Amino acid sequence: MKLAPGQGILFPSHGKLQLKGYCDVDWASCPTTKRSVTGFYVFLGGAPISRKSKKQSVVSRSSAESKYRSMASLTCELVWLKQLLCDLQVPHSQPTLLYCDNQVALHIAANSVFHECTKHIEIDCHTVREKIQSGLINTTYVCST
């Protein structure tokens, strides 16, 4: 920071400290394993505080499945960050926003009927739906174009 003044994370002194995350996935992008790469960014009050890019541990059979796994990864990060804010006594009562550009994955997360036709998705991915039902997160569609 010493060599680049003015570069860094800016936390505004006013406004809401809304926690929100954006996830994306590069489906079957690994040429040898055909595994997808998950990526997400998390913002607090408009400032980026967390990001991750990682190859998924299994091969996804559809782009929606790989996107849903990306949502699950981001959900775990958002839950952890929300608990950290609570431990630091930073008030954050509103639901965390999770933005995703795949409407099928959003429907799977919000609608239990879709789960019957998606049993090949691992059980731990259903954490997204659980956190939606508990009111901890809200999912929102964001256009990727």
Side-chain angles (χ1 to χ4, degrees):
M1 298 307 281
K2 190 174 185 180
L3 299 175
Q7 299 295 317
I9 298 174
L10 172 67
F11 289 101
S13 60
H14 59 283
K16 295 181 180 179
L17 286 179
Q18 175 71 39
L19 190 62
K20 58 185 171 182
Y22 295 84
C23 65
D24 202 3
V25 70
D26 193 2
W27 181 49
S29 61
C30 180
T32 55
T33 64
K34 294 301 179 191
R35 291 186 182 170
S36 304
V37 176
T38 291
F40 64 74
Y41 269 90
V42 179
F43 295 84
L44 179 62
I49 60 168
S50 178
R51 70 171 181 84
K52 185 174 186 177
S53 178
K54 184 179 179 183
K55 191 185 309 185
Q56 293 181 353
S57 59
V58 296
V59 177
S60 296
R61 294 169 59 184
S62 68
S63 60
E65 178 184 347
S66 64
K67 185 67 76 166
Y68 196 71
R69 291 184 191 282
S70 179
M71 287 174 62
S73 181
L74 176 56
T75 296
C76 292
E77 182 80 0
L78 292 171
V79 168
W80 180 81
L81 286 168
K82 191 158 182 163
Q83 184 59 50
L84 179 64
L85 290 173
C86 181
D87 291 347
L88 296 172
Q89 299 180 358
V90 176
H92 193 272
S93 58
Q94 67 269 32
T96 302
L97 300 174
L98 188 154
Y99 293 93
C100 177
D101 66 350
N102 188 297
Q103 291 181 339
V104 173
L106 291 170
H107 286 293
I108 291 169
N111 188 345
S112 62
V113 174
F114 279 86
H115 287 288
E116 291 303 314
C117 61
T118 56
K119 288 187 178 183
H120 60 279
I121 298 176
E122 295 175 10
I123 298 300
D124 63 346
C125 287
H126 294 284
T127 191
V128 176
R129 180 160 163 61
E130 181 182 283
K131 299 307 176 191
I132 292 170
Q133 288 178 335
S134 70
L136 189 67
I137 67 169
N138 283 343
T139 56
T140 305
Y141 175 74
V142 61
C143 185
S144 61
T145 56

